[in-house]
Amino acid sequence: FFNQTCHILDSDRETLASSNGKFAQYLLKILEVYFNYHHDAYSTKGVYLHDPTAMLAAINPSLITYVEGAVRVQTNGITRGLTLLYNKQKRFAEITEWSDQPSVKVAVTVDAPAVLKLVLERLME
């Protein structure tokens, strides 16, 4: 799963370390704890790019594909924090407890190589 998401790998760290970009060296310093955490907690060799991906989705929406539907989040019990999507596009005019909920766009795919390329380019400027 990790390889299918937006992330900076250890090999990307080497690219950033060799850069003269004004943000590359700073980012490497502040991400050290994050890299160590992911390695220790999940045995991964990289960190996720959640925030930069969200920012790039706002700047260039073509990097993401979306579905539209109602979203609810469980607030208690063993499934607390679980996010549920009722995809209204696949329903046949049925009336349910979801019908009167507002629709939102939910990201379902991302062009991860393009996001990584953009992030690295900006950091190395």
Side-chain angles (χ1 to χ4, degrees):
F1 178 72
F2 187 76
N3 290 326
Q4 297 174 359
T5 59
C6 296
H7 56 277
I8 292 180
L9 294 175
D10 284 342
S11 58
D12 300 316
R13 286 170 77 181
E14 294 167 14
T15 301
L16 290 172
S18 65
S19 165
N20 291 324
K22 60 184 174 181
F23 299 113
Q25 301 304 318
Y26 175 72
L27 182 73
L28 286 174
K29 288 178 186 174
I30 65 172
L31 282 182
E32 188 65 30
V33 171
Y34 201 38
F35 271 97
N36 290 337
Y37 168 76
H38 276 80
H39 182 267
D40 294 344
Y42 305 111
S43 298
T44 59
K45 296 183 185 218
V47 296
Y48 298 101
L49 295 173
H50 301 302
D51 295 339
T53 302
M55 179 188 66
L56 287 171
I59 294 168
N60 184 353
S62 70
L63 294 170
I64 312 286
T65 59
Y66 303 89
V67 295
E68 193 170 320
V71 172
R72 290 184 174 173
V73 178
Q74 287 286 66
T75 58
N76 56 38
I78 194 168
T79 57
R80 183 175 166 210
L82 177 71
T83 303
L84 304 166
L85 169 71
Y86 179 83
N87 186 341
K88 292 181 177 183
Q89 297 168 339
K90 294 184 179 180
R91 304 298 179 217
F92 300 98
E94 61 189 339
I95 307 247
T96 70
E97 62 277 2
W98 293 80
S99 298
D100 62 344
Q101 300 298 314
S103 288
V104 296
K105 287 184 178 180
V106 176
V108 291
T109 67
V110 60
D111 184 345
V115 167
L116 178 62
K117 181 177 184 259
L118 286 167
V119 168
L120 291 176
E121 284 174 355
R122 294 299 182 258
L123 291 172
M124 294 188 298
E125 287 182 345

